[in-house]
Amino acid sequence: MKNFYLLLLAAFIGCYQVGYAHNHDHQGHHHAHDISPIATKQALSDAHLTGDVRDAQTGEHLPYVYVTLVDKGIGGLTDASGHFYITNIPEGKTKVRFDLLGYESIEYSLDIKADSTYQLRPELKEEGIMLNHVVVSGNKYETKQKETASMVNVVSPILIEQLGAENIGQVLDYQTGLRLEETCQNCGAPSLRINGLEGQYTQILMDSRPIFSSLASVYGLEQIPTGMVDRIEVIRGGGSALFGGNAVAGVVNIITKEPKHNSLDLSHTTSIVGGKAWDHNTNLNGTYVTSDSKIGVSIFGTHHSRDAYDADGDGYSELCQLNNATIGMRSYFKTGLYSKIIAEYHHMYEFRRGGDQLNLPPDQTNITEQTEHNIDTGSLQFDWTSPNKRHYFSLYTSAQYINRSSYYGTDKNPNAYGNTTDITAVAGGQYRFSWMQNTVLPADVSAGIEYTYDNLHDQMLGYNRDMRQEVGIIGGYLQNEWKNKSLSVLIGARLDKHSLMQQVVCSPRASVRYTPIPEVVLRATYASGYRAPQAYDEDLHIGAVGGEVSLIELDPNLRPEYSHSVSLSSDIYKSFGAWETNLTLEGFFTRINDVFTLVDVGHDAMGNLIRMRTNSSGAYVGGLNVEAKVAYRNLFTFQIGYTFQKSKYIDPVTWSENPNIAPQTRMFRTPDHYGYALATVTPFKGFNITINGKATGSMLVQHAAGYIAEDEEVITPSFWDLGAKLSYDIPLYKLYTLQVNAGVKNVLNSFQTDFDQGINRDSGYIYGPTLPRTFFIGLNLKL
């Protein structure tokens, strides 16, 4: 892996150049202006574009601004003095966009004619917190964030950098309504809850494709490095009408980096976890775009290693040992002015191990949970847009292969080794037509068809486990959205035929957005969803409880779950001079029928504890999300998010054979209150201070017998996880900088204190913040 980084670094330094670039970044507000030629040459000549770019506040020239002629495939950069000059511009109408990180984008409309010279002198405004991002998750096509019928939250690269996040799980905690938790002391299996529902109710997408299988979801949130991520889009509430089953709680869409301009970024962070365990994380990202913007390539590589962490000194880990490496690429090739091919591939290797005596082979220890993953993922996509932008067509295919070697065992069991393979493939097409253009409510009608195939084989012969699950899902959706600046009405539905279900599932969807004034956006949404009776991520994880292995089996009569979700929200934006504010209120309610639950059913013939996944009558989750933001230019930002919720089973559920534990209506591991706060201060250029915190209210958790005499239910304490980061960008040459950063996570060491100890511990008895007090220091070279 080290040789790979050296070769990759040498390749990019050799070919790196600051030159013409095509920038597809639509983030920010776009201001359109019509420009006429300032001079027409008498002699024959090409069309030219010249001008300079300034800061709207200070009047200073801005160097190295990206100047892009949209749809022409050409562009350039302003020089060190903020001026630019572009020649040989093809005739025809186009838009000229100016982009610079930290500033709002601006657009001009031009009608290019031969033998003419045009001059533009834009003034760019600094970005505020109210960026009108372009998102794709709300409708499956690009829409400005404020104009989507459904609310879509965006995790930007700036937030990832501010938090010093190493994987996507660590940054999703800073989205209202989302909470990441660890579910196993031995292997560190993470789970992302949206609006209180368990991780299995969340659909994880990669570039809008449902390539995350049940096996990939077991540890996937920790396996995806932030270095390969451009942004993350989050939808709270049902998403099955667009993305199929499992999107009951919501959707997390991971958008990988697309090449935009020539760059090279190398970073390394070293952390000390709890004063005991070292953590090292290295990222290398490079992009190259040809001078005519026809071809672009992004290449990324990461390596992450972490020692196991023992919180209470009993010789058993609470955080597992990790060794993860990822290499990959994403590229595009423009086959014409209105079409392109996009290809993506990455390979991921991960080793993780927890338990005791980690220096010994697993079958010579009291408890070991160990996995070794090799994951290959790739995708291919063709996009075409008509010259008048009214037609859009896309064909795509994605595939993923996982090979997992594992050991889940106790008491020096030589037969606890296993192997799991999983093949997932997705293929589909999408079409959108913009019609009724000359009416009060222009419309976009979109339709798509998609086939998903998954073949899972999980073998642990020592436990008499040989699970084979083959799933095929063919789905299609149709929706129409009528919209203008003030109003949008979206109605749609998706049909799915799941191979494990007899009937076709229809998932309808309806959303309304009303913008009475530009500062206020009101939304109402209804969506239905479902989950099929199949194995999910939790079923492929084997836990250790009381010195024995705990296995999950499916009830032969397990029925599908069906859900209905509604939400009402308001977004209020207000500026006071240079101050910007935003307040978001969202009420949500989800009802689930035939909800899946786990109950203890005793032991099998080999003495393993068996937990059966079966149906209960139903459950509901309801509550309120509140998010507030305030910012003063780029000098100060503050945002806070809070969730109040109730999660209940309709009928009491019995989870334990202990007669002293009454049936429970409250859902486990779901606090009624939780939230976050984040503040950034830039006292002078290049120096940033970030203060962040996460609050987790008390919750009800299960505690299985073993270390304790009998099963019990525990009400946990509340936690406040506070962190800070300081960073300083040292200018090197032109745009080249070296960032030095340092900080601390969970400075108050608000961490669980009552872990079970020894061989008889319940590995699932873990709650609260995912890290103890952790200090870190890092370097980031940006070229």
Side-chain angles (χ1 to χ4, degrees):
M1 187 56 62
K2 290 182 179 179
N3 290 336
F4 164 77
Y5 290 138
L6 291 174
L7 288 173
L8 188 58
L9 180 61
F12 271 101
I13 291 177
C15 70
Y16 182 80
Q17 59 179 350
V18 178
Y20 294 127
H22 180 63
N23 191 330
H24 293 281
D25 187 4
H26 296 277
Q27 295 184 0
H29 301 288
H30 297 262
H31 309 279
H33 306 267
D34 293 317
I35 301 298
S36 301
I38 63 169
T40 302
K41 298 191 176 184
Q42 300 301 318
L44 293 176
S45 64
D46 296 328
H48 309 292
L49 178 63
T50 185
D52 62 306
V53 184
R54 295 174 183 262
D55 185 301
Q57 180 72 23
T58 66
E60 297 178 354
H61 279 100
L62 294 175
Y64 316 119
V65 177
Y66 292 98
V67 185
T68 305
L69 278 80
V70 182
D71 297 331
K72 295 296 184 183
I74 59 175
L77 285 169
T78 60
D79 59 21
S81 67
H83 292 76
F84 64 93
Y85 185 67
I86 302 173
T87 62
N88 301 319
I89 303 174
E91 288 188 82
K93 293 182 178 180
T94 188
K95 291 184 181 295
V96 184
R97 189 172 65 245
F98 295 84
D99 298 289
L100 181 63
L101 185 64
Y103 288 82
E104 297 177 2
S105 300
I106 190 169
E107 279 189 357
Y108 293 84
S109 297
L110 289 181
D111 188 0
I112 303 296
K113 300 184 183 301
D115 307 320
S116 299
T117 297
Y118 301 80
Q119 184 182 56
L120 298 177
R121 307 190 68 187
E123 295 183 347
L124 302 188
K125 296 180 180 179
E126 288 185 336
E127 287 180 345
I129 61 173
M130 313 312 167
L131 288 180
N132 195 9
H133 296 278
V134 172
V135 295
V136 296
S137 302
N139 301 327
K140 269 201 170 182
Y141 53 82
E142 290 187 347
T143 308
K144 289 186 177 180
Q145 190 177 10
K146 291 181 182 179
E147 297 176 10
T148 58
S150 301
M151 183 179 294
V152 181
N153 287 359
V154 177
V155 178
S156 68
I158 294 176
L159 179 60
I160 294 172
E161 182 175 324
Q162 288 173 341
L163 295 173
E166 298 171 347
N167 56 66
I168 65 168
Q170 292 179 356
V171 75
L172 289 173
D173 261 347
Y174 289 87
Q175 294 294 301
T176 307
L178 276 64
R179 190 174 65 84
L180 184 75
E181 63 178 8
E182 300 283 350
T183 61
C184 180
Q185 297 176 48
N186 294 327
C187 69
S191 179
L192 178 68
R193 291 176 175 264
I194 298 183
N195 288 347
L197 290 173
E198 294 179 79
Q200 300 98 314
Y201 291 93
T202 298
Q203 177 74 285
I204 307 293
L205 306 172
M206 185 164 288
D207 294 319
S208 302
R209 311 297 174 228
I211 202 66
F212 254 67
S213 64
S214 297
L215 181 61
S217 299
V218 178
Y219 304 109
L221 291 174
E222 284 193 340
Q223 291 175 333
I224 299 177
T226 55
M228 65 182 288
V229 176
D230 179 68
R231 68 183 187 276
I232 304 170
E233 299 179 5
V234 178
I235 299 178
R236 297 186 295 260
S240 292
L242 274 183
F243 301 105
N246 307 337
V248 172
V251 174
V252 174
N253 192 2
I254 303 160
I255 309 298
T256 57
K257 288 183 175 178
E258 183 172 329
K260 300 172 182 176
H261 54 83
N262 299 332
S263 66
L264 182 65
D265 193 329
L266 175 64
S267 65
H268 178 83
T269 302
T270 293
S271 308
I272 180 71
V273 180
K276 300 179 182 180
W278 288 99
D279 187 308
H280 303 282
N281 192 60
T282 303
N283 286 277
L284 178 61
N285 296 275
T287 60
Y288 176 75
V289 180
T290 58
S291 59
D292 59 4
S293 298
K294 295 292 186 183
I295 301 174
V297 180
S298 292
I299 297 180
F300 52 87
T302 69
H303 182 260
H304 180 209
S305 64
R306 184 184 71 194
D307 297 335
Y309 172 69
D310 179 4
D312 50 16
D314 67 340
Y316 293 77
S317 64
E318 272 67 52
L319 297 178
C320 67
Q321 173 188 351
L322 280 175
N323 191 355
N324 177 294
T326 303
I327 58 173
M329 58 78 67
R330 178 182 170 101
S331 66
Y332 71 80
F333 170 66
K334 290 186 177 179
T335 56
L337 289 178
Y338 307 103
S339 60
K340 65 178 178 179
I341 296 173
I342 303 171
E344 193 273 341
Y345 168 79
H346 66 269
H347 172 81
M348 183 183 301
Y349 168 82
E350 187 200 67
F351 174 88
R352 64 172 59 213
R353 177 173 173 174
D356 72 313
Q357 304 176 85
L358 302 183
N359 59 318
L360 297 180
D363 56 13
Q364 296 181 26
T365 65
N366 295 318
I367 296 177
T368 289
E369 293 188 28
Q370 173 181 301
T371 61
E372 187 173 13
H373 288 80
N374 281 282
I375 304 175
D376 290 277
T377 306
S379 65
L380 190 64
Q381 178 176 329
F382 173 77
D383 292 340
W384 174 83
T385 305
S386 65
N388 62 7
K389 306 296 183 182
R390 296 186 64 187
H391 300 270
Y392 169 79
F393 178 71
S394 178
L395 288 174
Y396 58 87
T397 182
S398 303
Q400 183 178 80
Y401 174 74
I402 305 176
N403 190 321
R404 183 184 79 174
S405 300
S406 62
Y407 181 93
Y408 291 99
T410 62
D411 199 21
K412 303 178 181 180
N413 186 350
N415 299 314
Y417 292 94
N419 184 260
T420 309
T421 58
D422 190 27
I423 299 174
T424 305
V426 179
Q430 179 182 346
Y431 171 73
R432 184 181 80 250
F433 172 57
S434 297
W435 61 303
M436 300 173 62
Q437 297 298 295
N438 297 320
T439 64
V440 176
L441 275 179
D444 286 327
V445 60
S446 60
I449 187 170
E450 184 174 82
Y451 179 73
T452 303
Y453 172 81
D454 184 72
N455 191 330
L456 171 70
H457 187 196
D458 185 29
Q459 282 185 305
M460 298 192 72
L461 300 182
Y463 297 136
N464 196 31
R465 179 185 179 110
D466 190 358
M467 177 191 295
R468 296 176 183 268
Q469 179 176 273
E470 187 172 9
V471 173
I473 307 171
I474 184 167
Y477 75 90
L478 176 66
Q479 68 176 22
N480 192 79
E481 182 180 16
W482 297 267
K483 64 179 180 180
N484 57 29
K485 292 293 183 181
S486 300
L487 179 68
S488 66
V489 179
L490 185 150
I491 298 175
R494 177 176 173 124
L495 296 177
D496 283 308
K497 178 59 182 75
H498 195 293
S499 61
L500 299 182
M501 299 171 63
Q502 293 183 350
Q503 297 181 343
V504 174
V505 180
C506 178
S507 302
R509 173 195 187 200
S511 298
V512 177
R513 171 190 57 83
Y514 177 52
T515 307
I517 57 176
E519 293 81 11
V520 176
V521 181
L522 307 175
R523 293 182 176 92
T525 299
Y526 164 79
S528 66
Y530 75 97
R531 287 210 303 162
Q534 66 181 73
Y536 290 94
D537 54 355
E538 187 179 9
D539 308 325
L540 301 173
H541 167 253
I542 297 174
V545 180
E548 59 186 5
V549 166
S550 171
L551 303 175
I552 295 176
E553 294 184 356
L554 302 183
D555 187 333
N557 298 314
L558 187 65
R559 300 184 302 277
E561 288 181 321
Y562 294 97
S563 67
H564 301 273
S565 300
V566 294
S567 68
L568 297 172
S569 66
S570 65
D571 254 337
I572 303 171
Y573 302 86
K574 183 64 176 177
S575 296
F576 302 91
W579 289 87
E580 296 180 273
T581 62
N582 172 225
L583 176 65
T584 301
L585 301 174
E586 179 191 36
F588 60 89
F589 181 85
T590 298
R591 167 68 189 259
I592 304 174
N593 298 321
D594 292 325
V595 64
F596 296 160
T597 57
L598 289 174
V599 296
D600 291 348
V601 294
H603 295 75
D604 63 11
M606 302 184 68
N608 301 312
L609 177 64
I610 301 300
R611 306 188 73 196
M612 182 73 71
R613 185 175 297 283
T614 186
N615 294 104
S616 179
S617 60
Y620 70 86
V621 175
L624 175 69
N625 289 316
V626 181
E627 190 169 40
K629 302 176 183 177
V630 60
Y632 179 73
R633 300 182 60 191
N634 275 0
L635 301 179
F636 170 77
T637 63
F638 176 75
Q639 63 185 68
I640 187 170
Y642 166 73
T643 298
F644 168 75
Q645 64 168 57
K646 291 290 185 180
S647 306
K648 299 282 188 178
Y649 294 107
I650 302 300
D651 295 324
V653 172
T654 300
W655 66 272
S656 171
E657 295 180 314
N658 184 352
N660 297 320
I661 297 180
Q664 182 62 251
T665 59
R666 182 178 176 182
M667 282 190 181
F668 295 101
R669 308 182 71 91
T670 57
D672 292 342
H673 308 270
Y674 55 95
Y676 76 93
L678 178 69
T680 61
V681 180
T682 306
F684 55 87
K685 187 175 181 179
F687 181 57
N688 292 282
I689 304 171
T690 301
I691 307 294
N692 57 79
K694 297 178 292 184
T696 305
S698 64
M699 54 186 150
L700 187 68
V701 300
Q702 300 154 304
H703 193 181
Y707 178 72
I708 58 175
E710 59 183 10
D711 294 347
E712 64 179 9
E713 295 176 350
V714 176
I715 297 178
T716 71
S718 299
F719 295 93
W720 176 245
D721 179 353
L722 182 66
K725 179 184 176 182
L726 307 178
S727 65
Y728 180 64
D729 292 335
I730 303 172
L732 299 178
Y733 173 71
K734 293 185 177 181
L735 291 179
Y736 304 170
T737 60
L738 175 64
Q739 183 187 97
V740 180
N741 61 75
V744 58
K745 301 177 182 180
N746 199 354
V747 64
L748 303 178
N749 204 30
S750 183
F751 199 62
Q752 183 178 348
T753 58
D754 64 337
F755 290 108
D756 284 359
Q757 295 184 333
I759 186 174
N760 291 320
R761 71 178 183 171
D762 173 9
S763 64
Y765 184 61
I766 182 171
Y767 56 85
T770 58
L771 285 175
R773 183 186 295 120
T774 299
F775 294 94
F776 64 90
I777 186 170
L779 296 173
N780 188 354
L781 178 64
K782 300 179 181 181
L783 304 179

